[in-house]
Amino acid sequence: MRVENIILTGFILDLIFGDPRSLLHPVVVIGNVITFLEKILYRYKKIGGVILNLIVVGLAFGITYLVSSYLEIVEIYLIYTIFATRSLALEGIKVFKILEKKDMRLARQELSYLVSRDTNYMQEKDIVRSVMETISENIVDGIISPMFFMAVGYLIAPLTPLGVALAMGYKAINTLDSMVGYKNEKYKDYGWFSARVDDFANFIPARLTGVLLVPVSAMFFGYDFKNSWKVFFRDRANHASPNSAQSESSVAGALGVQFGGATSYFGNLKAKPTIGDKKKEFELKDIKKNIKLMYGSSILGMGLVYAIFILKGLN
């Protein structure tokens, strides 16, 4: 099977089925390895964090490359597990349906599984905002960044599984950041390297998403694509992370909402910079609009990757 069709098959499987719950998932394995190694390496603080990152990313890359070299079906399965489009949509829809039933207790509980912020006293608009910020940020982490590394790898070496191996290496980087890349007392030393590597890995995909994929998707869906670009260029640096506001700013501009502001983490209220203009209050239906932008960005991104490989094959 041609490289572009291998990528497309894995992408479509994710759109149809989402994460495989009953089968072995590589990210779960990566998470278990991180937890195991932390017991050994945590005592060495900064250098331990560097060693952790190198081991986990190296194993994810190496094992993926090795097992994908034997069977194409394994390569396709691993690509399928790397994308997270449908799973992100399902998480958003789950909270949407709970809020429709006005079950605030359950909505706060479900949201707590998705975010690190305090959810105990959130009202509906705060929950909607939090869900949308999470989906907007994860357009990059869960879809476009792995797609980017996959495309780069296969363009460099189309007759090898380098693409899926690079993408799985990225998933390891992102999982490390989500588990140890915090600036709190426990992880500020041990997780600093993982956080910086994740910032570096997402640098190009985040900007590609913010400047192109989200605004163009907004145009297709009839949202405010001009304001999406405007807010992107104005507010894309309004975040502690160098990458998170890239996609968030484009989504906020497209939907006329304002992300950021006062947010509680571990009992402490933090005044985050705002992203976007508050043209209206958050509404429940905004979650579905955000999901549409996520699907549009992922499909547009896949279309660009597919077109690049077709054009490369014509040369």
Side-chain angles (χ1 to χ4, degrees):
M1 189 184 295
R2 290 171 60 94
V3 168
E4 61 269 23
N5 291 328
I6 290 175
I7 302 173
L8 182 62
T9 300
F11 179 75
I12 291 173
L13 285 173
D14 173 64
L15 291 182
I16 296 171
F17 299 109
D19 279 342
R21 303 286 184 179
S22 59
L23 298 175
L24 184 66
H25 199 299
V27 175
V28 174
V29 176
I30 290 169
N32 290 337
V33 172
I34 293 169
T35 301
F36 172 76
L37 289 175
E38 184 173 337
K39 298 173 184 177
I40 302 169
L41 297 171
Y42 181 78
R43 72 192 73 175
Y44 302 108
K45 299 301 180 181
K46 284 190 175 183
I47 189 64
V50 174
I51 295 170
L52 170 76
N53 194 280
L54 295 177
I55 290 175
V56 173
V57 176
L59 284 174
F61 175 88
I63 293 173
T64 300
Y65 191 96
L66 183 65
V67 299
S68 297
S69 298
Y70 293 102
L71 289 171
E72 195 173 85
I73 188 68
V74 173
E75 187 175 3
I76 291 172
Y77 172 75
L78 291 175
I79 290 172
Y80 154 51
T81 65
I82 286 169
F83 290 118
T85 311
R86 180 165 173 78
S87 296
L88 282 171
L90 290 175
E91 293 297 336
I93 290 297
K94 183 188 295 184
V95 178
F96 175 89
K97 289 182 176 179
I98 293 170
L99 286 175
E100 267 193 325
K101 297 176 182 177
K102 302 300 180 183
D103 190 338
M104 297 300 297
R105 183 196 63 80
L106 185 57
R108 291 170 185 139
Q109 180 180 311
E110 287 295 333
L111 180 62
S112 70
Y113 303 142
L114 302 177
V115 300
S116 58
R117 63 191 67 181
D118 300 327
T119 64
N120 292 338
Y121 302 103
M122 282 189 177
Q123 300 305 309
E124 180 175 302
K125 67 177 183 178
D126 302 311
I127 296 173
V128 171
R129 188 195 97 188
S130 297
V131 170
M132 291 177 66
E133 287 177 346
T134 299
I135 292 172
S136 300
E137 183 177 350
N138 278 283
I139 294 174
V140 177
D141 296 354
I143 306 165
I144 304 303
S145 281
M147 188 183 292
F148 173 81
F149 284 101
M150 200 177 297
V152 168
Y154 283 124
L155 283 169
I156 293 172
L159 299 180
T160 74
L162 180 61
V164 65
L166 280 179
M168 192 64 75
Y170 168 78
K171 292 298 286 188
I173 289 170
N174 192 241
T175 305
L176 280 158
D177 180 61
S178 68
M179 292 182 68
V180 305
Y182 296 103
K183 294 181 180 179
N184 56 25
E185 190 63 31
K186 182 177 180 180
Y187 288 122
K188 66 180 181 180
D189 292 326
Y190 184 67
W192 74 274
F193 186 73
S194 292
R196 297 292 77 76
V197 172
D198 184 75
D199 288 343
F200 178 78
N202 284 311
F203 189 86
I204 294 175
R207 283 149 185 81
L208 176 64
T209 304
V211 76
L212 177 64
L213 299 181
V214 171
V216 173
S217 298
M219 180 175 63
F220 284 133
F221 288 117
Y223 303 146
D224 196 341
F225 73 97
K226 289 184 179 179
N227 197 52
S228 181
W229 270 312
K230 172 189 170 185
V231 175
F232 167 78
F233 285 109
R234 190 192 69 196
D235 294 348
R236 60 196 175 96
N238 290 3
H239 201 286
S241 163
N243 299 315
S244 295
Q246 305 292 326
S247 53
E248 286 186 24
S249 57
S250 291
V251 171
L255 300 181
V257 296
Q258 187 176 78
F259 291 147
T263 308
S264 178
Y265 293 90
F266 309 107
N268 297 312
L269 194 64
K270 182 178 180 181
K272 299 170 66 175
T274 58
I275 300 170
D277 301 310
K278 192 176 181 180
K279 295 187 175 184
K280 67 181 190 67
E281 292 288 351
F282 285 100
E283 301 174 290
L284 187 53
K285 63 183 180 181
D286 289 331
I287 293 178
K288 285 194 171 182
K289 290 181 179 180
N290 203 159
I291 290 172
K292 283 184 178 180
L293 283 176
M294 181 194 66
Y295 271 118
S297 300
S298 64
I299 292 169
L300 180 59
M302 186 67 245
L304 288 173
V305 168
Y306 198 87
I308 288 169
F309 278 98
I310 292 295
L311 291 173
K312 185 176 183 293
L314 296 176
N315 292 334

